[in-house]
Amino acid sequence: MSTPSMVLYYDEVSPPVRGVLLAIAALGVKDRIKFEYINLFDGGHLAADFLKINPLHTIPVLRHGDLTLIDSHAILMYLCDTFAPAGDTFGIPDTLTRAKVFNMLCFNNGHLFQRDAEVMRKIFRGEITDPTNHLPPIEETIDALEHFLQKSRYTALDHLSVADLAIVATLSTLNLLVPIEANRWPRVHEWFKEMQALPYYNEQNSVGLEKLRGILATRIKI
Ligand SMILES: N[C@@H](CCC(=O)N[C@@H](CS)C(=O)NCC(=O)O)C(=O)O
C-alpha cells in the first residue's frame, strides 16, 4: 500500500506557515507534499470545510493520513522526525537535542510569535494605525533572543535547526515593525543576515513577507 501524501494548508503571508515552508525546502521534500492554499485575508480559514479540519481556524495545518497537526511547531518536529535521517543537520538524534530545539520552538510559539500576532491583530482590526506604543513587549522578546544567541551559534544548537527557521519567519515579520539594528541586537542582527543568505530563504520567506508588507502598508506607515 502506498503511503498517503502529506497535505499542507497554507498562506505564505503567515509567519508560522513560512517557518514550515522553509523547513520543507531545507529538507528537500517539496515534491512529497500537496499544497492547499487558504486565503487568510479573504476568510478562507473560516470556510466550513476548513473548520472541519481545524476548528481553531489557524494555519498552517498538516494532514498525513489520519494525522492532523494544527500547529507549525508540531509540524516542524514531525517533518524532522519523518524526513531527517540520523546525521542530517535537521535530525533530532537524542533527548538533549530534542529538548533544546523544542525549547526554542516554544519560545517562538509562546513569546515571539504571540507578541507579533497581538500587534498585527490590532492593526488588521483597525484598532491602531501607529504601533509605536505597542512595541516594547516585542523588543523585550528580541532582547531574550539576543541573550540566547550570545550562548549558542544558532538559536537552539551550534548548527542550524528547525527552531532557526521558525524564529526567522517571525523575526523577519517583526523587522517590519522594529528594525533589527546591529548596535542594539548584534548577535540577532548577525544571525538574521546568515539566515537571509540561506539558498531557499527568498523563495520560502521573502515572497510571503513582501506580500504581508504590501497589505500592512495599507494600514500603517512602514
Ligand atoms: N501556534 C500556531 C499559530 C498559527 C496562527 O495563529 N496562524 C495565524 C496566521 S499567522 C492564523 O491562521 N490566524 C487566523 C485566525 O486566528 O483566525 C502555529 O504556530 O501554527
Side-chain angles (χ1 to χ4, degrees), residues 11 13-18 20 38 40 45-46 50 54 56-61 69-75 105 108-110 113-114 116-117 121:
D11 181 338
V13 295
S14 151
V17 166
R18 282 187 264 120
V20 171
I38 298 291
L40 264 185
H45 58 306
L46 301 173
F50 185 66
N54 181 11
L56 294 168
H57 46 82
T58 57
I59 50 170
V61 169
L69 296 176
I70 52 92
D71 184 275
S72 64
H73 307 86
I75 295 171
L105 289 176
N108 187 57
N109 195 25
F113 174 70
Q114 288 313 322
D116 166 68
R121 260 194 301 269

CSV table of all heavy atoms in Angstrom, one decimal, residues 11 13-18 20 38 40 45-46 50 54 56-61 69-75 105 108-110 113-114 116-117 121, ligand 1:
chain,number,residue,atom,x,y,z
A,11,ASP,N,-0.9,29.8,3.8
A,11,ASP,CA,-0.9,31.1,3.1
A,11,ASP,C,0.4,31.7,3.5
A,11,ASP,O,0.7,31.8,4.7
A,11,ASP,CB,-2.1,32.0,3.5
A,11,ASP,CG,-2.2,33.3,2.8
A,11,ASP,OD1,-1.1,33.8,2.3
A,11,ASP,OD2,-3.2,34.0,2.8
A,13,VAL,N,1.6,34.5,3.7
A,13,VAL,CA,1.7,35.7,4.5
A,13,VAL,C,2.0,35.4,5.9
A,13,VAL,O,2.5,36.2,6.7
A,13,VAL,CB,0.5,36.7,4.3
A,13,VAL,CG1,0.3,37.2,2.9
A,13,VAL,CG2,-0.8,36.0,4.8
A,14,SER,N,1.6,34.2,6.4
A,14,SER,CA,1.6,33.8,7.8
A,14,SER,C,3.1,33.4,8.2
A,14,SER,O,3.7,32.5,7.6
A,14,SER,CB,0.7,32.7,8.0
A,14,SER,OG,1.1,31.8,9.1
A,15,PRO,N,3.6,34.0,9.3
A,15,PRO,CA,4.9,33.6,9.7
A,15,PRO,C,5.0,32.1,10.1
A,15,PRO,O,6.0,31.4,9.7
A,15,PRO,CB,5.2,34.5,10.9
A,15,PRO,CG,4.3,35.6,10.8
A,15,PRO,CD,3.1,35.1,10.1
A,16,PRO,N,4.1,31.5,10.9
A,16,PRO,CA,4.2,30.1,11.1
A,16,PRO,C,4.2,29.2,9.9
A,16,PRO,O,4.9,28.2,9.8
A,16,PRO,CB,3.0,29.8,12.0
A,16,PRO,CG,2.6,31.1,12.6
A,16,PRO,CD,2.9,32.1,11.6
A,17,VAL,N,3.4,29.7,8.9
A,17,VAL,CA,3.4,28.9,7.6
A,17,VAL,C,4.8,29.0,7.0
A,17,VAL,O,5.4,28.0,6.5
A,17,VAL,CB,2.4,29.5,6.6
A,17,VAL,CG1,2.6,29.0,5.2
A,17,VAL,CG2,1.0,29.1,7.1
A,18,ARG,N,5.4,30.2,7.0
A,18,ARG,CA,6.7,30.4,6.3
A,18,ARG,C,7.8,29.6,7.0
A,18,ARG,O,8.7,29.1,6.4
A,18,ARG,CB,7.1,31.9,6.3
A,18,ARG,CG,6.3,32.6,5.2
A,18,ARG,CD,6.8,34.1,5.0
A,18,ARG,NE,5.9,35.0,5.7
A,18,ARG,CZ,6.3,35.8,6.7
A,18,ARG,NH1,7.6,35.8,7.1
A,18,ARG,NH2,5.5,36.6,7.3
A,20,VAL,N,7.3,26.7,8.2
A,20,VAL,CA,7.2,25.3,7.7
A,20,VAL,C,7.6,25.2,6.2
A,20,VAL,O,8.3,24.3,5.9
A,20,VAL,CB,5.7,24.9,7.8
A,20,VAL,CG1,5.4,23.6,7.1
A,20,VAL,CG2,5.3,24.8,9.3
A,38,ILE,N,-5.0,28.5,1.5
A,38,ILE,CA,-6.1,29.1,2.3
A,38,ILE,C,-5.9,30.6,2.3
A,38,ILE,O,-4.9,31.0,3.0
A,38,ILE,CB,-6.1,28.5,3.7
A,38,ILE,CG1,-6.2,26.9,3.7
A,38,ILE,CG2,-7.1,29.1,4.6
A,38,ILE,CD1,-7.6,26.4,3.3
A,40,LEU,N,-6.0,33.8,3.8
A,40,LEU,CA,-6.3,34.4,5.1
A,40,LEU,C,-7.0,35.7,5.0
A,40,LEU,O,-7.9,36.0,5.9
A,40,LEU,CB,-5.0,34.6,5.9
A,40,LEU,CG,-4.4,33.6,6.8
A,40,LEU,CD1,-3.2,34.1,7.5
A,40,LEU,CD2,-5.5,33.1,7.8
A,45,HIS,N,-9.8,30.7,5.9
A,45,HIS,CA,-9.6,29.9,7.1
A,45,HIS,C,-10.9,29.7,7.9
A,45,HIS,O,-11.0,28.9,8.8
A,45,HIS,CB,-8.6,30.5,8.0
A,45,HIS,CG,-8.8,32.0,8.4
A,45,HIS,ND1,-9.1,32.9,7.5
A,45,HIS,CD2,-8.9,32.6,9.6
A,45,HIS,CE1,-9.4,34.1,8.1
A,45,HIS,NE2,-9.2,33.9,9.4
A,46,LEU,N,-12.0,30.5,7.5
A,46,LEU,CA,-13.3,30.4,8.2
A,46,LEU,C,-14.3,29.6,7.4
A,46,LEU,O,-15.4,29.5,7.9
A,46,LEU,CB,-13.8,31.8,8.5
A,46,LEU,CG,-12.9,32.7,9.3
A,46,LEU,CD1,-13.4,34.2,9.4
A,46,LEU,CD2,-12.7,32.1,10.7
A,50,PHE,N,-12.8,24.1,5.9
A,50,PHE,CA,-11.5,24.2,6.6
A,50,PHE,C,-11.8,24.0,8.1
A,50,PHE,O,-11.0,23.4,8.9
A,50,PHE,CB,-10.8,25.5,6.3
A,50,PHE,CG,-9.4,25.5,7.0
A,50,PHE,CD1,-8.4,24.6,6.6
A,50,PHE,CD2,-9.2,26.4,8.0
A,50,PHE,CE1,-7.2,24.6,7.2
A,50,PHE,CE2,-7.9,26.4,8.6
A,50,PHE,CZ,-7.0,25.6,8.3
A,54,ASN,N,-9.6,22.2,11.0
A,54,ASN,CA,-9.1,22.9,12.2
A,54,ASN,C,-10.1,23.8,12.7
A,54,ASN,O,-10.2,25.0,12.3
A,54,ASN,CB,-7.8,23.6,11.8
A,54,ASN,CG,-7.2,24.3,13.0
A,54,ASN,OD1,-7.6,24.0,14.2
A,54,ASN,ND2,-6.2,25.1,12.8
A,56,LEU,N,-9.9,25.6,15.1
A,56,LEU,CA,-9.3,26.8,15.6
A,56,LEU,C,-9.0,27.8,14.5
A,56,LEU,O,-8.5,28.9,14.8
A,56,LEU,CB,-7.9,26.4,16.3
A,56,LEU,CG,-8.1,25.5,17.6
A,56,LEU,CD1,-6.7,25.0,18.0
A,56,LEU,CD2,-8.7,26.3,18.7
A,57,HIS,N,-9.4,27.5,13.3
A,57,HIS,CA,-9.2,28.3,12.1
A,57,HIS,C,-7.8,29.0,12.0
A,57,HIS,O,-7.8,30.1,11.6
A,57,HIS,CB,-10.4,29.3,12.0
A,57,HIS,CG,-10.7,30.1,13.2
A,57,HIS,ND1,-10.0,31.2,13.6
A,57,HIS,CD2,-11.7,29.8,14.1
A,57,HIS,CE1,-10.6,31.6,14.8
A,57,HIS,NE2,-11.6,30.8,15.1
A,58,THR,N,-6.8,28.2,12.3
A,58,THR,CA,-5.4,28.8,12.1
A,58,THR,C,-4.7,27.9,11.0
A,58,THR,O,-5.0,26.7,10.9
A,58,THR,CB,-4.6,28.8,13.4
A,58,THR,OG1,-4.6,27.5,13.9
A,58,THR,CG2,-5.2,29.8,14.4
A,59,ILE,N,-3.8,28.6,10.4
A,59,ILE,CA,-2.9,27.8,9.5
A,59,ILE,C,-1.4,28.1,10.0
A,59,ILE,O,-1.2,29.2,10.6
A,59,ILE,CB,-3.0,28.3,8.0
A,59,ILE,CG1,-3.0,29.8,7.9
A,59,ILE,CG2,-4.2,27.7,7.4
A,59,ILE,CD1,-2.9,30.3,6.5
A,60,PRO,N,-0.5,27.2,9.7
A,60,PRO,CA,-0.6,26.0,8.9
A,60,PRO,C,-1.3,24.9,9.6
A,60,PRO,O,-1.3,24.8,10.8
A,60,PRO,CB,0.9,25.7,8.7
A,60,PRO,CG,1.6,26.1,9.9
A,60,PRO,CD,0.8,27.4,10.3
A,61,VAL,N,-1.7,23.9,8.7
A,61,VAL,CA,-2.2,22.6,9.2
A,61,VAL,C,-1.5,21.6,8.2
A,61,VAL,O,-1.4,21.8,7.0
A,61,VAL,CB,-3.7,22.5,9.1
A,61,VAL,CG1,-4.2,21.1,9.3
A,61,VAL,CG2,-4.4,23.4,10.1
A,69,LEU,N,-2.1,17.8,12.2
A,69,LEU,CA,-1.3,18.7,13.1
A,69,LEU,C,-1.7,20.1,12.8
A,69,LEU,O,-1.7,20.6,11.7
A,69,LEU,CB,0.2,18.5,12.8
A,69,LEU,CG,0.7,17.1,13.1
A,69,LEU,CD1,2.2,17.0,12.7
A,69,LEU,CD2,0.6,16.7,14.5
A,70,ILE,N,-2.1,20.8,13.9
A,70,ILE,CA,-2.7,22.2,13.8
A,70,ILE,C,-1.8,23.2,14.3
A,70,ILE,O,-2.2,24.4,14.6
A,70,ILE,CB,-4.1,22.3,14.5
A,70,ILE,CG1,-4.1,21.7,15.9
A,70,ILE,CG2,-5.1,21.5,13.7
A,70,ILE,CD1,-3.8,22.8,17.0
A,71,ASP,N,-0.5,22.9,14.5
A,71,ASP,CA,0.5,23.9,15.0
A,71,ASP,C,1.8,23.8,14.2
A,71,ASP,O,2.3,22.6,14.0
A,71,ASP,CB,0.7,23.8,16.5
A,71,ASP,CG,1.6,24.9,17.0
A,71,ASP,OD1,2.8,24.7,16.9
A,71,ASP,OD2,1.1,25.9,17.4
A,72,SER,N,2.3,24.9,13.8
A,72,SER,CA,3.6,24.8,12.9
A,72,SER,C,4.7,24.2,13.7
A,72,SER,O,5.5,23.5,13.1
A,72,SER,CB,4.0,26.2,12.5
A,72,SER,OG,4.3,27.0,13.7
A,73,HIS,N,4.8,24.3,15.0
A,73,HIS,CA,5.9,23.8,15.7
A,73,HIS,C,5.8,22.3,15.8
A,73,HIS,O,6.8,21.6,15.7
A,73,HIS,CB,6.0,24.5,17.1
A,73,HIS,CG,6.0,26.0,17.0
A,73,HIS,ND1,4.9,26.7,16.9
A,73,HIS,CD2,7.0,26.9,16.8
A,73,HIS,CE1,5.2,28.0,16.7
A,73,HIS,NE2,6.5,28.1,16.6
A,74,ALA,N,4.6,21.8,16.0
A,74,ALA,CA,4.4,20.3,16.0
A,74,ALA,C,4.7,19.8,14.6
A,74,ALA,O,5.3,18.7,14.4
A,74,ALA,CB,2.9,20.0,16.3
A,75,ILE,N,4.3,20.6,13.5
A,75,ILE,CA,4.6,20.2,12.1
A,75,ILE,C,6.1,20.1,11.9
A,75,ILE,O,6.6,19.2,11.3
A,75,ILE,CB,3.9,21.2,11.2
A,75,ILE,CG1,2.4,21.1,11.3
A,75,ILE,CG2,4.4,20.9,9.7
A,75,ILE,CD1,1.7,22.2,10.5
A,105,LEU,N,11.4,26.3,20.0
A,105,LEU,CA,10.1,26.3,19.3
A,105,LEU,C,9.1,26.9,20.2
A,105,LEU,O,8.2,27.7,19.8
A,105,LEU,CB,9.8,24.9,18.8
A,105,LEU,CG,10.6,24.4,17.6
A,105,LEU,CD1,10.1,22.9,17.3
A,105,LEU,CD2,10.5,25.2,16.3
A,108,ASN,N,9.4,30.6,20.4
A,108,ASN,CA,8.7,31.2,19.2
A,108,ASN,C,7.2,31.2,19.3
A,108,ASN,O,6.5,32.2,19.2
A,108,ASN,CB,9.2,30.5,17.9
A,108,ASN,CG,8.7,31.3,16.7
A,108,ASN,OD1,9.0,32.5,16.5
A,108,ASN,ND2,7.9,30.6,15.9
A,109,ASN,N,6.7,30.1,19.7
A,109,ASN,CA,5.2,29.9,19.8
A,109,ASN,C,4.6,30.7,20.9
A,109,ASN,O,3.6,31.4,20.7
A,109,ASN,CB,4.9,28.4,20.0
A,109,ASN,CG,3.4,28.1,19.7
A,109,ASN,OD1,2.8,28.9,18.9
A,109,ASN,ND2,2.9,27.1,20.2
A,110,GLY,N,5.2,30.7,22.1
A,110,GLY,CA,4.6,31.3,23.2
A,110,GLY,C,5.0,32.8,23.4
A,110,GLY,O,4.3,33.5,24.1
A,113,PHE,N,6.2,34.9,18.5
A,113,PHE,CA,5.0,35.0,17.6
A,113,PHE,C,3.8,35.6,18.3
A,113,PHE,O,3.0,36.4,17.6
A,113,PHE,CB,4.7,33.6,17.0
A,113,PHE,CG,3.4,33.7,16.2
A,113,PHE,CD1,3.4,34.3,15.0
A,113,PHE,CD2,2.3,33.1,16.6
A,113,PHE,CE1,2.3,34.4,14.2
A,113,PHE,CE2,1.1,33.1,15.9
A,113,PHE,CZ,1.1,33.8,14.7
A,114,GLN,N,3.6,35.3,19.5
A,114,GLN,CA,2.4,35.8,20.2
A,114,GLN,C,2.4,37.3,20.3
A,114,GLN,O,1.4,38.0,20.1
A,114,GLN,CB,2.2,35.3,21.7
A,114,GLN,CG,1.9,33.8,21.7
A,114,GLN,CD,0.7,33.4,20.8
A,114,GLN,OE1,-0.3,34.2,20.7
A,114,GLN,NE2,0.7,32.3,20.2
A,116,ASP,N,4.0,39.3,18.2
A,116,ASP,CA,3.8,39.8,16.9
A,116,ASP,C,2.3,39.8,16.5
A,116,ASP,O,1.8,40.7,16.1
A,116,ASP,CB,4.6,38.9,15.9
A,116,ASP,CG,4.2,39.1,14.5
A,116,ASP,OD1,4.5,40.1,13.9
A,116,ASP,OD2,3.6,38.1,13.9
A,117,ALA,N,1.7,38.6,16.8
A,117,ALA,CA,0.3,38.4,16.5
A,117,ALA,C,-0.6,39.4,17.2
A,117,ALA,O,-1.6,39.9,16.6
A,117,ALA,CB,-0.2,37.0,16.8
A,121,ARG,N,-2.9,41.8,15.0
A,121,ARG,CA,-4.3,41.7,15.2
A,121,ARG,C,-4.9,43.1,15.3
A,121,ARG,O,-5.9,43.5,14.7
A,121,ARG,CB,-4.7,40.9,16.4
A,121,ARG,CG,-5.1,39.4,16.0
A,121,ARG,CD,-5.8,38.7,17.1
A,121,ARG,NE,-5.0,38.6,18.3
A,121,ARG,CZ,-4.2,37.6,18.5
A,121,ARG,NH1,-4.1,36.6,17.7
A,121,ARG,NH2,-3.4,37.6,19.6
B,1,LIG,N1,0.7,28.5,17.1
B,1,LIG,C1,0.1,28.4,15.8
B,1,LIG,C2,-0.3,29.8,15.4
B,1,LIG,C3,-0.9,29.8,14.0
B,1,LIG,C4,-1.6,31.1,13.7
B,1,LIG,O1,-2.1,31.9,14.6
B,1,LIG,N2,-1.8,31.4,12.4
B,1,LIG,C5,-2.5,32.6,12.0
B,1,LIG,C6,-1.8,33.2,10.8
B,1,LIG,S1,-0.3,33.9,11.2
B,1,LIG,C7,-3.9,32.3,11.6
B,1,LIG,O2,-4.2,31.3,11.0
B,1,LIG,N3,-4.9,33.2,12.1
B,1,LIG,C8,-6.2,33.0,11.7
B,1,LIG,C9,-7.1,33.0,12.9
B,1,LIG,O3,-6.6,33.1,14.1
B,1,LIG,O4,-8.4,33.0,12.7
B,1,LIG,C10,1.2,27.9,14.8
B,1,LIG,O5,2.4,28.1,15.1
B,1,LIG,O6,0.8,27.2,13.9
